């Protein structure tokens, strides 16, 4: 096989059985790779209604198709399982170098089933696949574990859980090396429930492109495209933190558990200048030409000596806004989350939730053991430790805000989640856009990473059209260059009136991001703006030799999204769950609330755009037929 | 040809694109171990530096070669190999101070950078400007070839 | 100017090529005791194993000498050097020289014990040796001596399909290259590949009627049909000695740092000389291909009137044994006993290495399973760079960015490895 490694590795920890299955051209063309393979496998192999922390759950790592090629940003691997947080499809995506090694070992996907008797780690080196004892590693934090495993298995990449995953904290993450991870939806708890501490993988097999010369040309084209993006330069310098100030200005931050739109000291602690102060080096993932990661060092003060990859917007907002910590404590929070192996967004959300309850008197000093307050880093980190070790009130909080709220009367008002997954970063009351609709329509719950207008404009914050439209904000050249079929473009973007149809753009954006997660490229704004299905189809064809068109790829992405929706429906997702927390409709921030009816209305438009039933959100039979999902 | 690969190691961030495109153009497949340019890493400090054959004027690999297959090309001045005669003993790989020799595990031979016939592909694809293909008339660039012969204290005097 | 070179091995040819490179018109005459064009003795085991065909051993063909205008006398041994009249004498006659380079090499040594004259006893030094071994169709083989040639021979014969026993007098495999831990790893690689390795064992005699049938050690009798002796070499210095040229204490021709012997206009290089160790400055034997070539280069340059100093030799042994690279450079811990030394070592499933340090300088390296970055350590050894200096640069990311290859060396020296 060209482009693909050609095999799916299937490991059953209960029986010890190790299978290597081939990949059919049918599977490749219909589901591409990455999240596509994951979705197909999970839909086929997870029985309905199981407990996500039981041995019947299946965890899959799907490497993006283009990983192994120098196509810019082709580094990503998707991990999926049934989520302990939402009890629906749980999934997360991570870059760095894990996918490179897994694919180089000969596997496009790794499927993990069952449960081991004792803590184990999986060792993969090309054809050699071994389940090894991890008793000596169990209990160690992720950095220490990596040091040991990397010393022993020099040159390998490691996916692993920290103490949070071991203790079945529901929002535990799977860490990807020291500083990256599959953070959201609690996949770390799934891995912990299987007593799987780590996956160590090292690959030395070559991957052959069908047409190396054509691929190199496409790579150059891709590099030039991304470099021409309007956001390229600022992104290479300041990374994701570029969005932090605009969102502060919009009053659309998650400050103090979504009770305030912003904080008075926001620009001091989250503006670009903090990058200049704490970082002098960029970090790249495999094949990336942006290198948005920052290598951060704190040279003095309370957290002197701390070195970590950080100062991205998500951790910054999760801790500096939601919890109210200062910059250095925010950096420390990132380090702790990486070491403990816990989702930064959900951790921030849970801690913010707890502080709010404390301030309201719903939980007391007796319940916690100490005082909690906004911005108190010692308290926040004590609480985080209690959560990781499921001690005291940590035992309750470790279940996520949705479940924890059930323990305390009146707490549900403070639980800010959609479908059980904490909402990150943006307060839709402050700014409504395709991005915020995406938090509702996201297959994984309250999340900001599966839907984003590729030509989003951060300069404007208007909400004139009942949530159904947002401002385009660009001139014709941007419209012309956007890689979207012309007829669809005309429907979605009204250039004359400078507006974008949010419902239809959401569908496009979700499918596009799904495509990214299938072929393995990164969703950073410079890429989203410029890399569309046309060049991806070219890269895919050059790499695998399987001829596809841009429309084929978008159809595959739509197919994958719909399959995951079917999974969710099968697991009991209902339309009534697809709603924001009551707070957004009932409590004003800067005088603004969301209009529930108008939200319902734009959701209906979204379902129509998707070819789903407007009342039940179930994909219509003609849609499933069109996508080949009707069997 | 008096242009050589000049490495600005401080600009490297370890993205690995140079390794991929080098391997792809030489052996039609990807694997970092088939690349003539290699990235050394110190993960703890997040340091990444590319190293490649320095095209030494008096190459140590040539002396070490147990089959005498490494010579200097009279016209281009590059370190070239008679690849057919190489038996893959790896003595050159062990001797090179720049990690400039690459063992091709598929063919069982050792190769080194040949500057892609004057248009090095790694330079074209590096996004960070860490690789430059330029004339070595300037003293600083030239010194690199011999810098392995000097003690570090001569290159970086203290104080 | 006429340059006469005795020897057609690595050193002889390197000298000839260096002379020709700098002087198009020089008259070069070589005397080769063998009738073969230059071949790589190091590659002989690869021919035994079948990795390369016989033709691949030769680095030149007969025409190459003509093309380089090198006059070469085949199969002629020089019997006398007349230093007064500046001429060399063979059975065919006399040849005058302006400058003479002795590159007479060494010969394999077989201890004078019973049975070594039986058919089936071999050494591995020349192409003819290997031709004879192959013709003999070895099946049950004993290789005596686990130096680098012995270990390579054992592997080559096992790959060829023979049943192989490797015998070593001292307590471990390749004792002069590896200390105990590295040697133990090598032992495992050999035994995992069905080679029987016997250490601490002494060969007493070889038995058989007309050919080798059995080898007797101080512990057991080993039935066999072939004995390969790889116990060492003797330097071919008799000619030089006879001619009044000084021989050193270690048995090699004495030369200064310009490869000049005690006789005017006579130089020497390669296996036959006593070299100077780069690290200690003391006389040392350095019977390795790359050192021979470098010495020959130096000798030739000095012959040509381009004064060049030899920097001294470093022992570098590189073996690829069953796809695992085993490397030894400089001094082992054992060689330093009695002196102050320090060892940095690390190992895991994939590899093992140790760095031997004396007086703050790296004096030795051993590794099993490492391929990348050894040259960076070798450069530090050869430039006699103190560890403290390496650390100063390695710790400073701005400095090490200017000498990026030293990041690898620094990682070997200073990186902390954790164990499970």
């Amino acid at each position: 096989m060209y482009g693909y490694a050609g095999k799916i590795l299937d490991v059953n920890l209960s029986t010890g059985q190790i299978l290597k299955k081939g990949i059919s051209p049918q599977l490749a063309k219909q589901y591409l790779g990455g999240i596509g393979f994951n979705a197909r496998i999970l839909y086929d192999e997870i029985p309905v209604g199981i407990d996500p922390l039981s041995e019947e759950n299946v965890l899959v790592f799907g490497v993006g198709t283009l990983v192994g090629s120098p196509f810019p940003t082709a580094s990503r691997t998707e991990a999926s399982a049934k989520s302990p947080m939402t009890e629906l499809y749980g999934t997360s995506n991570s870059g760095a170098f894990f996918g490179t090694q897994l694919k180089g070992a000969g596997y496009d996907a790794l499927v993990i089933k069952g449960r081991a008797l004792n803590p184990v780690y999986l060792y993969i080196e090309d054809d050699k696949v071994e389940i090894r004892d991890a008793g000596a590693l169990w209990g160690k934090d992720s950095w220490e574990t990596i040091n040991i495993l990397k010393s022993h298995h020099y040159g390998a990449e490691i996916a692993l859980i920290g103490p949070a995953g071991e203790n079945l904290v529901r929002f535990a993450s799977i860490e990807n090396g020291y500083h990256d991870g599959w953070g959201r939806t609690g996949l770390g708890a799934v891995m912990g429930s299987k007593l799987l501490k780590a996956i160590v993988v090292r690959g030395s097999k070559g991957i052959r492109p069908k047409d190396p010369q054509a691929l190199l040309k496409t790579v150059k084209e891709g590099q030039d495209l991304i470099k021409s993006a309007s956001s390229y330069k600022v992104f290479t310098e300041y990374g994701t933190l570029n969005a932090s100030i605009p969102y502060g200005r919009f009053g659309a931050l998650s400050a103090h558990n979504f009770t305030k739109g912003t904080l008075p000291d926001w620009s001091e602690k989250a503006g670009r200048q903090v990058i200049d102060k704490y970082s002098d080096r960029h970090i790249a993932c495999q094949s990336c030409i942006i290198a948005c990661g920052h290598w951060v060092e704190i040279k003095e003060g309370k957290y002197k000596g701390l070195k970590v990859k950080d100062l991205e917007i998500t951790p910054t907002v999760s801790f500096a806004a939601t919890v109210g910590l200062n910059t250095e404590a925010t950096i420390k929070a990132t380090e702790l989350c990486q070491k403990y192996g816990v989702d930064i967004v959900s951790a921030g959300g849970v801690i913010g939730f707890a502080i709010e309850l404390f301030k309201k008197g719903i939980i007391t000093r007796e319940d916690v053991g100490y005082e909690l307050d906004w911005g108190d880093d010692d308290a926040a980190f004590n609480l985080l430790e209690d959560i990781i070790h499921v001690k005291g009130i940590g035992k309750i909080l470790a279940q996520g805000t949705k479940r924890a709220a059930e323990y305390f009367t009146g707490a549900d008002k403070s639980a800010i989640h959609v479908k059980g997954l904490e909402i990150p970063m943006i307060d839709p009351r402050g700014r409504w856009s395709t991005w915020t609709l995406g938090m509702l329509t996201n297959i994984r719950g309250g999340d900001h990473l599966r839907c984003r207008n590729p030509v989003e404009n951060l300069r404007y914050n208007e909400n004139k059209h009942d949530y159904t439209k947002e401002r385009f904000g660009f001139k014709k050249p941007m419209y012309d260059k956007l890689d979207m079929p012309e007829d669809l473009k005309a429907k979605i973007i009204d250039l004359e009136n400078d507006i974008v149809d949010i419902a239809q753009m959401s569908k496009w954006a979700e499918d596009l991001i799904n495509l990214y997660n299938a072929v393995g490229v990164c969703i950073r704004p410079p890429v989203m703006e410029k890399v569309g299905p046309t060049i991806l189809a070219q890269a895919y064809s050059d790499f695998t030799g399987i001829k596809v068109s841009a429309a084929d790829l978008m159809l595959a992405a739509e197919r994958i999204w719909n399959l995951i929706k079917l999974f969710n429906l099968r697991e009991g997702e209902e339309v009534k769950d697809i709603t924001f927390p009551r707070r957004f409709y009932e409590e004003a921030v800067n005088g603004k609330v969301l209009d529930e009816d108008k939200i319902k209305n734009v959701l209906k438009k979204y379902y129509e755009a998707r070819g789903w039933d407007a009342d039940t959100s179930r994909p219509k039979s003609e849609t499933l037929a069109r996508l080949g999902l009707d069997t | 040809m008096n242009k050589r690969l000049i490495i600005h190691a401080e600009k490297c961030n370890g993205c690995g694109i140079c390794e991929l495109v080098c391997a792809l153009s030489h052996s039609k497949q990807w694997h970092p171990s088939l690349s003539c340019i290699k990235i050394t890493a110190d993960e703890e400090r997040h340091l990444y530096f590319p190293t490649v054959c320095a095209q030494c004027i008096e190459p140590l690999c040539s002396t070490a070669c147990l089959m005498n297959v490494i010579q200097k090309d009279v016209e281009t001045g590059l370190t070239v190999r008679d690849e057919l005669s190489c038996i893959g003993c790896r003595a050159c790989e062990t001797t090179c101070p720049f990690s400039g020799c690459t063992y091709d595990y598929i063919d069982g031979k050792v190769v080194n950078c040949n500057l892609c016939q004057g248009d090095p592909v790694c330079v074209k694809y590096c996004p960070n400007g860490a690789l430059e293909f330029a004339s070595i008339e300037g003293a600083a660039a030239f010194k690199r070839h011999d810098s392995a012969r000097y003690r570090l204290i001569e290159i970086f005097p203290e104080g | 100017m006429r340059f006469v070179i005795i020897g057609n091995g690595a050193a002889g040819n390197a000298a000839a090529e260096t002379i020709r490179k700098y002087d198009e018109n020089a008259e070069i005459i070589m005397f080769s005791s063998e009738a073969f064009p230059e071949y790589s003795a190091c590659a002989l085991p690869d021919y035994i194993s079948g990795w390369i065909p016989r033709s691949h051993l030769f680095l030149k063909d007969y025409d190459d000498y003509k093309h380089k205008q090198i006059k070469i006398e085949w199969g002629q041994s020089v019997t006398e050097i007349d230093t007064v009249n500046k001429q060399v004498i063979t059975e065919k006659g006399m040849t005058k020289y302006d400058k003479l380079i002795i590159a007479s090499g060494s010969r394999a040594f077989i201890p004078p014990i019973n049975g070594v004259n039986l058919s089936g006893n071999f050494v591995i030094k020349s192409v003819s040796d290997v031709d004879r071994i192959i013709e003999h169709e070895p099946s049950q083989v004993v290789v005596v001596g686990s130096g680098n040639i012995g270990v390579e021979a054992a592997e080559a014969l096992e790959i060829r399909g023979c049943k192989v026993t490797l015998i070593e007098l001292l307590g471990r495999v390749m004792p002069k290259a590896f200390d105990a831990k590295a040697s133990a790893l090598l032992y495992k690689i050999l035994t995992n590949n069905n080679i029987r390795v016997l250490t601490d064992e002494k060969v007493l005699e070889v038995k058989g009627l007309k050919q080798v049938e059995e080898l007797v050690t101080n512990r057991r009798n080993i039935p066999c049909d072939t004995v390969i002796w790889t116990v060492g070499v003797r330097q071919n210095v008799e000619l030089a000695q006879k001619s009044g040229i000084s021989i050193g204490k270690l048995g090699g021709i004495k030369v200064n740092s310009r490869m000049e012997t005690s006789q005017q206009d006579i130089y020497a290089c390669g296996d036959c000389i006593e070299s100077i160790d780069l690290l200690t400055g003391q006389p040392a034997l350095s019977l390795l291909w790359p050192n021979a070539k470098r010495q020959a280069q130096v000798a030739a340059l000095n012959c040509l009137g381009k004064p060049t100093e030899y920097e001294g030799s470093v022992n570098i042994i590189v073996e690829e044994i069953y796809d695992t690279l085993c490397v030894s450079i400089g001094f082992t811990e054992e060689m330093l006993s009695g002196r102050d030394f320090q060892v940095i070592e690390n190992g895991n499933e994939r590899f093992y290495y140790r760095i031997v340090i004396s007086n703050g300088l790296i004096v030795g390296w051993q590794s099993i399973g490492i391929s990348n970055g050894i040259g960076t350590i070798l450069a530090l050894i050869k430039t006699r760079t103190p560890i403290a200096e390496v650390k100063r640069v390695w710790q400073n990311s701005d400095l090490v960015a200017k000498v990026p290859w030293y990041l690898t060396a620094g990682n070997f020296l200073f990186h902390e490895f954790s164990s499970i």
Side-chain angles (χ1 to χ4, degrees), chain A residues 136-427:
Chain A
L137 301 170
W138 200 257
K140 291 193 158 62
D141 75 42
S142 66
W143 287 11
E144 209 187 329
T145 309
I146 294 171
N147 282 342
I148 294 171
L149 287 172
K150 279 205 180 208
S151 283
H152 211 67
H153 302 291
Y154 201 71
E157 288 296 324
I158 305 178
L160 75 166
I161 56 174
E166 294 174 8
N167 294 330
L168 306 183
V169 173
R170 278 195 189 257
F171 47 94
S173 61
I174 301 178
E175 292 297 301
N176 178 2
Y178 294 99
H179 305 297
D180 296 275
W182 294 273
R184 309 230 62 201
T185 68
L187 300 173
V190 174
M191 210 159 136
S193 74
K194 296 183 176 306
L195 292 181
L196 179 61
K197 176 68 176 175
I199 302 164
V200 177
V201 61
R202 192 190 145 92
S204 65
K205 297 187 183 184
I207 296 172
R208 290 185 311 155
K210 183 78 197 323
D211 191 340
Q213 290 314 310
L215 180 64
L216 282 176
K217 269 218 211 100
T218 305
V219 167
K220 195 79 186 46
E221 233 182 277
Q223 284 194 356
D224 291 339
L225 258 185
I226 294 173
K227 285 185 179 172
S228 73
S230 54
S231 51
Y232 179 73
K233 193 147 191 312
V234 290
F235 233 80
T236 56
E237 283 167 21
Y238 297 107
T240 54
L241 209 59
N242 276 298
S244 63
I245 295 305
Y247 272 87
R249 242 191 310 118
F250 298 150
L253 295 171
S254 57
H256 292 192
N257 202 37
F258 290 89
T259 56
K260 299 184 155 127
T262 185
L263 294 172
D265 60 348
W266 185 247
S267 30
E268 281 101 75
K269 66 182 185 180
R272 291 176 180 182
Q273 77 283 356
V274 311
I275 308 261
D276 294 327
K277 179 170 178 190
Y278 293 105
S279 172
D280 66 349
R281 209 175 302 153
H282 293 281
I283 297 177
C285 294
Q286 174 75 59
S287 297
C288 180
I289 64 167
I290 303 172
C292 68
H294 308 289
W295 182 244
V296 168
E297 282 184 42
I298 300 183
K299 301 207 171 114
E300 50 200 7
K302 188 171 179 185
Y303 299 112
K304 177 177 176 177
L306 181 51
K307 293 183 197 177
V308 71
K309 170 180 165 182
D310 192 25
L311 288 181
E312 304 225 25
I313 190 169
T314 305
T316 303
V317 175
S318 298
F319 284 98
T322 309
V323 181
L325 301 184
N326 67 29
T327 311
E328 292 183 3
T330 301
I331 297 170
K332 178 70 182 175
T334 306
E335 185 218 30
L336 291 175
C337 289
Q338 287 173 5
K339 279 183 162 167
Y340 291 146
V342 78
D343 174 20
I344 290 176
V345 175
S346 289
V350 166
I351 294 174
F353 165 77
I355 297 174
E356 189 185 329
L357 292 186
F358 191 91
K359 299 294 267 186
K360 284 183 172 169
I362 297 178
I363 60 176
T364 64
R365 204 207 153 107
E366 259 171 58
D367 297 312
V368 181
Y370 36 89
E371 308 263 316
L372 297 177
D373 198 0
W374 302 115
D376 182 348
D377 51 341
D378 291 327
F381 297 155
N382 276 336
L383 191 61
L384 185 59
E385 265 222 56
D386 285 343
I387 292 172
I388 300 309
H389 294 112
V390 289
K391 242 179 22 190
I393 199 172
K395 210 158 171 200
I396 296 172
L397 295 174
Q399 301 184 46
T401 54
K402 177 177 173 197
R403 287 180 175 78
E406 292 164 19
Y407 287 80
F408 307 106
T409 321
D412 57 324
K413 285 219 169 92
S414 310
I416 310 300
H417 66 86
V418 174
K419 297 195 276 189
L421 189 64
E422 285 73 23
I423 297 173
M425 279 213 353
I426 322 165
D427 188 334

Side-chain angles (χ1 to χ4, degrees), chain A residues 431-482:
Chain A
R431 184 173 199 258
W432 181 258
S433 64
T434 308
W435 209 358
T436 48
L437 176 62
M439 289 181 184
L440 283 183
T441 58
N442 194 327
I443 39 169
R444 54 182 191 172
D447 180 70
H448 67 308
L449 293 175
R450 303 273 153 160
C451 175
R452 192 169 178 186
N453 177 351
V455 285
E456 176 171 27
N457 198 311
L458 282 186
R459 279 172 279 151
Y460 307 105
N461 186 16
E462 299 158 0
N463 201 9
K464 298 191 238 178
H465 302 275
D466 298 342
Y467 306 170
T468 58
K469 307 213 194 305
E470 64 182 353
R471 187 155 169 193
F472 180 53
F474 292 104
K475 302 254 192 319
K476 191 161 190 305
M478 183 65 101
Y479 177 94
D480 288 335
K481 288 211 194 103
L482 181 62

